[in-house]
Each structure stands twice: as C-alpha cells, then as structure tokens.
Amino acid sequence: MTDSARSNIPTFDGEEILAGIRRWVEIETPSHDGVAVNKLVDVVQSDLTRIGAQTLRTPGRDGFGDILEARAPWGDENEPGILIVGHLDTVHPIGALATTHVFRREGDTVYGPGIYDMKAGSYLACYALQHFVREGRRTTLPVRILYVPEEEVGSPTSRAAIEAAARKSKYVLVMEPARDGGKCVTARKGWGRFDMTITGRASHAGSRPQDGRSALRELARQILDLEAMSDPAVGISIVVGMAQGGSAPNVVPALATATIDLRVPPGIDADAVVQRVLQRPAFDPDCRVEVTGGINRPAYAKNEGITALFEHAKGCAAEIGFVLEDTPLTGGVSDGNFPAALGIPTLDGLGADGRGAHALDEQISFASLVPRAQLLVRMLETLR
Ligand SMILES: [Zn+2]
C-alpha cells in the first residue's frame, strides 16, 4: 500500500462509536462522587488496556475519582507528543439517567446525562487510539490521553497532572464539545471564583434595630458595587451567583455570605481585577468584609501556535469533507485553559456536536460522530 492510500480514512462506524459512548454514559459520574466516577475509570482503563495502551492511574484525593493517563502502545515516552484531554465527570446527579435524562435516540439526536459535555468527546479519544491499533498503524508523534475526574468543579485535584502532562507535550487536543454546528474552541476567558463573608451585628429587629448592623444590607450594597465592575465592552463579567444570610425573620442579620464569579478575557490584567475583588472596603464601618479566592483558570488566548494548530485542523477537516470553524472567544472555561496558559498550542472543542451542556435537553448529533472521529484520527496522524 502506498503512503497516500494509507492516509485515506478507513471505515468508521457511527453505530459502533455510539454503542461505546452509551456504555460510558450509562455509568453515572457526578463530580463529587469519587466512587461513582471510579466505576467509569475502571471501564475506561480496561478499554484502553484491551487495545494495548499503557495506563497509569493516580488515586483520587478529597473524595474525587482517580486520574487516568494512557499512552499509545508506540512512540518514545520521552519525546514531546500529543496530549489528548477529557473529563469523565458530569454535572448530573445519580438517577438522572432513569428520570430526567433517559438515554434515547430520536432521529439524529441522542440524549443522555453528560453525553455532550463530554462523554462523547472523551470516548472519541479512546476510539481514535483503537482505530490506529486496528489498522496496524502508528502516529508520528507519541500520543497520551489524560482523563480527569472533576473538571466540572474546576479540576482542583487534577490541575497539576494536566499541567505536568502538557509541559511534556508539543500539542494539546481537548475533547470538550463542539459548538454551534461543529465549531472548535481557540480562546477562552479566564475564570475567577471567590467567597465573600460579611459579619455585622445581631439585634432584635423590633425592639433594638438601631443596635444591629445588617450583614445582608452590606451584602446588597457589595453585590451592586461588585457587579458594576463588569465591563461588557471589554468582556469582563462579575456575577454574584449565590448569596445567603440572616438567622431569623425578626433578627438583624449578623452574617451573610456570597459567591462571586469573575470572567476575564485574554489580554486584560486579571490581577488588577482580582485585587479589586479581594480588597473590598465595607460601606458600613461596623461590618467586616472578607473575600477569599482567585483565578482558577487563566485565560486561553489564541496566539500564533494555537492559530497554526487550528489551521492544521481546518486542513484535515477539508480533506474529510467539512468546514471547521472556531467559535469567538467563549466565557466558558475548560481544562484547555491550563495548557494554553502555559504556551502549549491547544485546540479545544474537538468533541461531538450537539447542545444543552448541563441542561435537561443535553444531546449530541449522531451524524457528527464519524466526522469528529475522522478529524481526530487525521490530526493524530498528520501532526509533526
Ligand atoms: Zn466539559
């Protein structure tokens, strides 16, 4: 067989791919349930072992599941290669599969908990590796897959592993879902998470209101002031997502808490914004305001290396027969933020097309499975 004939895309079977995805979807994996996530890690590990991949499993911490790293059964371990990243957790609770997110196929649409974000994409990585093994072919660069157990809560226990694996790699491909008709992701905002605690003074709301210092009133003013720092023109957003306070209807509230979500586009001095969030003077001098937290995921900027990687992917897609576009800067973050911020060319959103991430109608397009599998395989075989 000539080289050019070898590079022709061999048969990919959508039904087979979907059957594999279904097996992974039907093991429910809420991020905080490490035992549940590990049931899927067991299956993924055996799927990878069966095709000859070497796996390394790092026990989970803080109640999260294990981190699973797999190496394709070829290539020099020490040569910088291609790192594929996916997460095995979902935002959906155990039981969603039997109630709100029953696995079902209606025409081209396939529903299931976490099928779009991102079990379909994670499975495609495994399928692509299996494809090379079946064809008896190899990639030029060594390939690793890293599956993390808790991306949906910010990858607190896997960030270091992602960064360490990325540092050893030439390219990082992230199998998060495709957007809006198959677009991939080449830039993401940075994400900051903060907790605010306000301490006031309790008193009787009826007989001694003047003695109290309302932590809730202080919080209300803080929320307005914080959210006013948002700047849609440059893409900075601040949202207080959760707030609570008070102890009883007839007591001036002594305590209030809130969570703060910050998104900062690439090219903005995130530290300056972070400092403004952390150092909140109290409006009421008798209240105490404390803020903890910081940037969880640094911004992912579309630099030269990322542009070149995207152009390469576009060329691969064109050979397969579709147009690959990238989506404009997204406020959603992923594990792609970590390698991109380290300067490693990173392409994200390579997973299945669909919609409804985290929602009740979470779904993928069956028709996208084969082209996305072909795209990944083609990239793995052409990246140098
Ligand atoms: Zn995801």
Side-chain angles (χ1 to χ4, degrees):
M1 197 184 275
T2 65
D3 256 14
S4 66
R6 274 185 171 277
S7 68
N8 281 342
I9 302 298
T11 315
F12 287 81
D13 182 349
E15 297 295 340
E16 183 191 39
I17 297 173
L18 184 60
I21 292 169
R22 180 173 189 165
R23 279 174 56 238
W24 289 22
V25 168
E26 289 186 337
I27 301 168
E28 296 184 284
T29 53
S31 313
H32 285 289
D33 189 339
V35 174
V37 171
N38 278 346
K39 286 184 188 152
L40 179 57
V41 178
D42 290 343
V43 168
V44 175
Q45 186 171 25
S46 85
D47 284 358
L48 287 160
T49 305
R50 195 168 348 102
I51 58 171
Q54 289 182 34
T55 59
L56 176 71
R57 189 162 167 167
T58 309
R61 285 190 282 121
D62 306 335
F64 293 111
D66 299 348
I67 298 168
L68 184 66
E69 187 172 339
R71 267 199 314 116
W74 58 83
D76 175 358
E77 180 175 4
N78 301 311
E79 186 194 344
I82 303 166
L83 174 68
I84 307 176
V85 179
H87 62 84
L88 298 178
D89 60 319
T90 82
V91 299
H92 305 286
I94 299 276
L97 187 65
T99 53
T100 52
H101 290 76
V102 174
F103 186 97
R104 65 198 193 280
R105 184 169 169 184
E106 293 169 8
D108 182 55
T109 305
V110 190
Y111 299 88
I115 192 167
Y116 174 59
D117 183 9
M118 61 174 281
K119 287 192 177 165
S122 287
Y123 180 77
L124 285 176
C126 188
Y127 189 83
L129 218 55
Q130 173 182 288
H131 184 81
F132 281 97
V133 172
R134 280 178 176 173
E135 296 288 315
R137 291 185 301 153
R138 298 167 166 221
T139 53
T140 304
L141 292 175
V143 178
R144 283 166 200 266
I145 307 178
L146 186 64
Y147 287 118
V148 309
E150 31 56 307
E151 189 274 348
E152 294 292 1
V153 295
S155 308
T157 63
S158 62
R159 177 179 181 166
I162 296 164
E163 291 180 335
R167 281 196 183 92
K168 289 188 280 186
S169 306
K170 215 169 161 182
Y171 305 102
V172 178
L173 306 178
V174 185
M175 302 306 295
E176 287 280 354
R179 312 298 182 92
D180 313 323
K183 293 188 176 121
C184 64
V185 176
T186 51
R188 293 180 183 272
K189 290 182 185 179
W191 180 41
R193 262 277 288 118
F194 304 86
D195 292 300
M196 174 177 261
T197 305
I198 296 174
T199 315
R201 189 194 305 151
S203 70
H204 193 295
S207 61
R208 303 292 300 175
Q210 67 277 22
D211 292 350
R213 295 293 179 269
S214 169
L216 272 178
R217 192 172 64 142
E218 174 68 24
L219 176 60
R221 299 174 80 181
Q222 290 289 342
I223 292 172
L224 294 177
D225 202 52
L226 275 165
E227 293 201 349
M229 285 165 56
S230 294
D231 188 344
V234 298
I236 297 175
S237 69
I238 297 187
V239 171
V240 174
M242 288 166 63
Q244 54 188 343
S247 56
N250 57 351
V251 177
V252 173
L255 186 70
T257 58
T259 64
I260 303 163
D261 181 295
L262 165 69
R263 307 283 161 146
V264 189
I268 292 281
D269 180 5
D271 284 345
V273 186
V274 166
Q275 286 314 313
R276 284 182 64 196
V277 174
L278 285 175
Q279 286 155 23
R280 305 294 307 161
F283 289 90
D284 180 339
D286 292 333
C287 284
R288 198 170 74 235
V289 177
E290 286 171 289
V291 182
T292 57
I295 292 290
N296 171 283
R297 295 180 197 261
Y300 170 170
K302 187 178 179 182
N303 59 21
E304 224 175 285
I306 291 172
T307 303
L309 182 57
F310 169 59
E311 290 301 326
H312 184 90
K314 238 169 123 169
C316 293
E319 285 174 22
I320 296 159
F322 68 97
V323 178
L324 183 70
E325 293 176 283
D326 61 343
T327 192
L329 177 67
T330 169
V333 294
S334 85
D335 286 331
N337 286 64
F338 299 133
L342 292 175
I344 321 279
T346 301
L347 191 62
D348 199 344
L350 288 169
D353 194 13
R355 63 188 173 85
H358 303 189
L360 282 174
D361 64 342
E362 179 154 355
Q363 58 186 256
I364 59 166
S365 153
F366 175 76
S368 75
L369 295 177
V370 166
R372 300 310 270 198
Q374 289 174 327
L375 175 62
L376 180 60
V377 164
R378 192 72 187 125
M379 288 192 72
L380 294 179
E381 71 185 351
T382 54
L383 282 172
R384 299 283 185 271

